[in-house]
Structure formats: C-alpha cells, structure tokens
Amino acid sequence: MNYPSRCLVFLLALVGLAGLVRSANAATLSFSPASGSYPVGQTFVVTLRLNSSDQAINASEGTVTWSGSTLQLVSVSASGSIFKYWPVDPVARGQASLIYSGGLPSPGYQGSAGTVLRITFQAKAVGASTVQISAGKILANDGLGTNVYSGQSAVTYTISAAAKPTPAPEVPNRPTPVATSSTHPDQTGWYRDAEVKLTWARPNGLRGVSYTVTADQSTTPDDTFDSASGAAAVTLPSDGIWYFHLRGKYDSGWSATNHYALHLDRTPPLDFTPQVKQDRGPGDPTPELIFVTTDSLSGVAKYTYTVDGGPAVEAASPVDLADAGAGTHTIVVTAYDQAGNVREEIVQLVMVGYTAPTITSVSTPLLLLDPLVVRGTANSGDTITVYVNGQAVGQVVVGPSDASAAPGVNLRLPWGFTTEKIFRPGTFNVTATATSADGQVSVATDPRQVRVNGQALTLNGRPIATFSVVTPLAVLVLSLLLTVLAVMARLVVAVWMMHRRTATAAEELEMLRDVNRQQSISRVQLDQALVQIEEDLDGDKPARRPPSRRRSAKRTR
C-alpha cells in the first residue's frame, strides 16, 4: 500500500468509519475551465472539482499531470476546499505533476461542484497542454471506504504566441535606432540584475533619442530629447517583464519606435519542505527524498541535493537515498530558478541501521607476502564486506542459522575472511559491514589496524616483496651458489690431477724405454762376444794376453 493510500485509511479511522452502508454510486473529478486559450506569459487558474451528487464521500486522492513543456506551475492552493484534513498536502512532484490526499469527517460531502484544489499555471511555450488526473480515488462515506471514483474529464488548453506590439511604420529618411544590451543580451532570458546597460547604432542624421521603460509592449517615448549618445543605463523598477522603448530624433522629425524586452527575477523559488519517504519506518533500507517548489516568474530550472556536506548532485524528485547508510543525515535541497536565484531547504534523514558485524581479530603484523586474515561474528546469512582503508577487498557469507533456533531469532555466528592481496608497507584500517538477506546494510565496524613491515621492493610501481623477505632469500641463494661453486672447483681439481697423472705416466714410460734402449745389448753382439771368448779359451797360446781396449769396451757395455 502506498503512502497516500495509507493516509486515506488513517482518515477513515479518524472519522470513526461512521455512517450506514449504502449503495456505491459514481463520483467524478473535473477541471474548470473546461478549455481555454492563453498567450505565452499569461497566468490563469484551473480549479479541480468533485462531483458526487448521489453519494456522500469523505476522502479523495490523486495525481494531477500536465505538459511541462507548455505550462509552468505557479502555485497550488487548498483554500476553499471541501476537505479539512490533508495527510498529504497538495505539493508539486517534478515539473509536470502534483499529488494530493484530503478528507473530511462524517457526514462527508455530497454535491455537484465541490472545490478540491486551485492550481495556478503560467503559459510557458506555444502548444497544447492536457491537464488530467491519474491514480485518482474517491472514497464513499459508507463505513467501508468504498472507492466510488468513476473517472475524470481531462481538459486541453491552447497556448498561443505572445502578442507583439505593432511597430510604427518606418518614416522615410528616419531610420529607427535598434537597441542591444551587454548585461541582458537575451530578450527571452531571465536575469536578476536590475541595472541594465543598452547601446544602439547612430544612423546618419540622428540628432538624439528619446527612450523610456514600461511594462507595456507598445509604448511610444515622448518627444523629450533624452540623449545624444549611443548608450543608456536604466534601472528596472521591480521584478517582471519590462520593455525599453527607443526612437530617434532627426531634423525632419521622429523615427518609429524600437522595443527591447527585459526580464527581471530577483525572487528565489518559493519556500518548500523536502520530505523523506520511508515506507517501512526508520529501518527502511530504501528511503526516498521528495522535493518540489515553484517560481512565479522565471520558473524552476533545476534542483541539487547534498548529503552530510558532500558534493552537490543535480537530480529530479524522487531521489533514492539507499546509499546513505545508517545514522542521522543532514540533506540540503537547493532549487534554482531560470535567473539564477536559489532557495535552500534542509531535511533530516534518520536511518536505523542493521546490526553491524564484529571483528574479533586481524592478522598483524604482516610481511608483504603474508595473507590478511580477518575473523569476526555476524548474524547468520549475512554477507560480510571487508574494507581496507575504505576500499572493499572481498566478501564472505556467514553460514546459515541452526535449524533448532527459535523463529525470528538471529544467531551470531563466526566468520573468517582471507585475502592474498599485497599491501604496501605501512599501517592500514580494516572495517566490515553486513548486508542482510533482504538488503539492509549495517554501518561499518570500528576500524582495526594492520601493520605491514619492511621496505617495499617494487616492480613497475607495484610492491612485490620487502627487504625483510629479500634478505633471508638472498642468504639462501648465496649459500647454494657457494656450495655449487665449491663442488665445481673440486671437480676441476680432480680432472686436472687425473690429467696430470696420465701425462706423468706417459713420460715415465718413455724414459724407461730410452734407458732400455741405451743399456740393452743386442743379442747378435752378445753371441759374437761369447764366440770370441770361447775361441780365446780354446786357443793354445801359452800365456794369457790382456784384452784389447776394444773388447774391454764391449764388455763394459
């Protein structure tokens, strides 16, 4: 059930649901006048009337809509209305609609032309605009609140071009000076400065000019000579649409008149009261901000809002405030009119937060490559979002509740979260929020600090290690390197020694071979020596002669 409907139920309770049950007859809503044609810039009043000749009624609600491109809402009034109570005051909603919800006690109203609202429009642009009711309701004073609304009569208004002054005919040889303005250059635009500077060209033969400022589009300045120059400064007397009228003086007489439109609006939009809509009470996780106002002259150009002094955001009503979070928030709504005037209004938003999780422990201190581990408790079924320095780093879902738990009781269960994200050395704040199964979001937990030790070793600007990690790794790598080098050195020495031993053996063998060659006696020479000795022994010489030097030498060998 929407907000206006609940208000109607309240009204029915207020009047005690009085009255006997009667048959429900038709009731209608209509607008007066039923048609009309208005020039741009003109204001006119449209009355919303209720017809219920055959049945007493005691409440009605609805939304009035129109074409925002051709009509500008100036005001809405409940003065003289048949309704006495207004759960929802008649208030504009956006640029092309308004809502209302009104009622009165028993015996209610019965008649053919009861005034509900009076709406003042200003013709904004050429075209047609249909004014009608949507989501209308009329409740009978029958003790049941029967909806007897049978429809409404839409009306169409025609907006025509504003009447332009008929210029005086050009006088031969008397060119009309044409005015322009540096301070108010757009003749259809609205400005909030009453001081206007104007200039005009001086045709040949122009002796001077006469000018005046009036609200009449077709005024002709008098014959008073006002200026011989090509410029003038005038002050607009009050807000509204004004015209600067200019004509030139020649020797032969006065020229035709030039008219220059000036729009002045120094009044900000009307006071308004922003509303915070929370269908489910302060615990509603999706509140809406509703705001609207009117500006009787230039019209509302835009709205902005801020939450707790944050940046201004341009928006149209309604605004979703689901991201505001739990707590009390100050919202400032600012309305700007076409001339740049502003109206600020303040409203408080109170959101009762969902039960926040708790953080029972965090892993600290950490080395750069260590995982961050966060543990805590929360309601069963919650989705826990973990933040580091306000940036979300991951989520975890708390396990389901115990089936034996009492209905409606939320069990607090433990949860744990681990991330391998690499953090720079320093101190970080870890917080967490809980999101319930129906979308309610809690406030953040109190921050828990985590410290990451060491100095960062970066690659392409990103940390990949700390010196506290690099040092033991470097020692280990260096030790392995030295061990490998020692083994390689021993292998080299062993190979060299084996090579050296092989070379030495070869040299010794060659020496032995040389010695053997030098000391060995050939078998032939030995046989010859033995034969000679035998001959000597067998000879019959009486005496033994000393061996010759040659033979001694042979034996020596």
Side-chain angles (χ1 to χ4, degrees):
M1 181 183 295
N2 58 28
Y3 181 61
S5 297
R6 291 202 309 273
C7 292
L8 289 178
V9 172
F10 166 76
L11 283 175
L12 291 174
L14 181 67
V15 300
L17 298 176
L20 297 175
V21 178
R22 307 172 187 173
S23 60
N25 297 292
T28 61
L29 294 168
S30 61
F31 295 98
S32 177
S35 62
S37 179
Y38 306 96
V40 172
Q42 182 175 340
T43 60
F44 59 97
V45 177
V46 175
T47 303
L48 175 62
R49 300 188 186 281
L50 188 149
N51 178 12
S52 181
S53 301
D54 301 326
Q55 171 73 61
I57 62 95
N58 60 8
S60 176
E61 70 175 42
T63 301
V64 181
T65 62
W66 61 88
S67 173
S69 62
T70 54
L71 290 181
Q72 170 73 46
L73 178 66
V74 176
S75 64
V76 57
S77 172
S79 177
S81 174
I82 60 175
F83 294 122
K84 306 301 180 184
Y85 306 110
W86 294 95
V88 177
D89 289 329
V91 61
R93 194 168 189 176
Q95 301 296 316
S97 67
L98 66 84
I99 60 175
Y100 75 91
S101 179
L104 74 166
S106 184
Y109 169 80
Q110 184 173 355
S112 60
T115 297
V116 178
L117 301 172
R118 285 187 172 87
I119 308 169
T120 302
F121 291 109
Q122 182 181 44
K124 184 177 179 181
V126 175
S129 182
T130 299
V131 181
Q132 58 187 347
I133 292 283
S134 63
K137 288 184 180 181
I138 300 175
L139 303 187
N141 186 48
D142 59 359
L144 299 175
T146 305
N147 184 9
V148 295
Y149 177 67
S150 64
Q152 51 95 21
S153 300
V155 296
T156 300
Y157 301 111
T158 302
I159 308 304
S160 59
K164 294 183 178 180
T166 303
E170 286 284 342
V171 180
N173 301 320
R174 299 178 193 171
T176 303
V178 178
T180 59
S181 175
S182 59
T183 57
H184 298 61
D186 184 0
Q187 294 191 60
T188 62
W190 288 86
Y191 300 90
R192 56 180 178 176
D193 189 356
E195 304 297 324
V196 184
K197 295 181 179 180
L198 300 112
T199 58
W200 54 86
R202 293 177 53 81
N204 292 333
L206 181 68
R207 293 178 53 193
V209 297
S210 175
Y211 61 81
T212 187
V213 175
T214 71
D216 184 359
Q217 301 181 35
S218 57
T219 299
T220 299
D222 57 24
D223 293 341
T224 303
F225 189 78
D226 293 315
S227 174
S229 67
V234 299
T235 301
L236 301 181
S238 61
D239 289 358
I241 301 175
W242 299 90
Y243 297 90
F244 177 78
H245 312 282
L246 174 71
R247 65 172 181 159
K249 172 66 174 175
Y250 293 86
D251 289 337
S252 58
W254 293 93
S255 71
T257 303
N258 170 245
H259 309 277
Y260 190 89
L262 300 166
H263 295 70
L264 178 64
D265 182 3
R266 295 172 295 182
T267 305
L270 298 179
D271 292 336
F272 63 103
T273 302
Q275 298 178 357
V276 173
K277 180 181 178 182
Q278 293 173 285
D279 288 339
R280 288 176 277 177
D284 188 350
T286 58
E288 284 187 329
L289 174 66
I290 300 173
F291 51 86
V292 71
T293 187
T294 58
D295 187 89
S296 59
L297 288 174
S298 61
V300 177
K302 66 176 182 178
Y303 297 91
T304 63
Y305 74 96
T306 64
V307 179
D308 297 332
V313 179
E314 184 174 347
S317 179
V319 174
D320 183 2
L321 296 176
D323 294 335
T328 300
H329 305 280
T330 299
I331 301 174
V332 178
V333 180
T334 305
Y336 299 79
D337 66 15
Q338 300 289 348
N341 302 297
V342 300
R343 174 77 68 184
E344 287 188 354
E345 301 291 351
I346 300 176
V347 65
Q348 296 289 328
L349 167 63
V350 179
M351 293 184 66
V352 176
Y354 182 68
T355 304
T358 59
I359 295 179
T360 56
S361 67
V362 293
S363 53
T364 185
L366 300 176
L367 295 179
L368 192 64
L369 302 181
D370 290 343
L372 171 64
V373 180
V374 184
R375 300 187 186 281
T377 61
N379 290 338
S380 59
D382 284 356
T383 299
I384 306 301
T385 305
V386 179
Y387 302 84
V388 175
N389 281 0
Q391 299 294 322
V393 295
Q395 293 182 325
V396 63
V397 178
V398 183
S401 61
D402 188 344
S404 62
V409 175
N410 286 324
L411 295 180
R412 299 291 286 184
L413 299 179
W415 57 269
F417 172 80
T418 302
T419 178
E420 300 290 341
K421 178 179 175 63
I422 297 176
F423 301 99
R424 291 179 178 274
T427 301
F428 301 87
N429 288 326
V430 178
T431 57
T433 61
T435 303
S436 67
D438 61 356
Q440 298 185 68
V441 181
S442 74
V443 296
T445 62
D446 292 333
R448 298 289 294 269
Q449 285 193 343
V450 173
R451 188 174 71 255
V452 179
N453 292 334
Q455 293 181 330
L457 178 66
T458 60
L459 178 64
N460 293 330
R462 295 187 176 183
I464 59 172
T466 63
F467 289 117
S468 58
V469 175
V470 171
T471 301
L473 289 177
V475 172
L476 177 61
V477 172
L478 183 60
S479 300
L480 293 175
L481 181 61
L482 291 176
T483 301
V484 172
L485 290 176
V487 171
M488 292 181 63
R490 295 185 64 180
L491 289 174
V492 170
V493 171
V495 171
W496 180 81
M497 291 182 65
M498 291 178 63
H499 174 74
R500 186 61 184 165
R501 289 177 180 177
T502 302
T504 301
E507 291 177 357
E508 291 178 352
L509 179 62
E510 186 63 28
M511 289 177 63
L512 290 175
R513 287 176 178 174
D514 289 342
V515 171
N516 184 54
R517 283 196 299 269
Q518 292 177 4
Q519 294 182 355
S520 64
I521 301 174
S522 67
R523 187 173 297 278
V524 175
Q525 290 176 338
L526 182 59
D527 290 343
Q528 290 178 354
L530 291 174
V531 172
Q532 184 63 44
I533 292 171
E534 291 178 355
E535 288 179 356
D536 290 341
L537 293 174
D538 294 337
D540 51 358
K541 292 181 180 180
R544 188 175 181 179
R545 293 178 297 179
S548 64
R549 184 175 301 174
R550 181 179 178 184
R551 290 178 179 172
S552 299
K554 288 182 179 180
R555 282 195 297 272
T556 302
R557 284 200 300 260

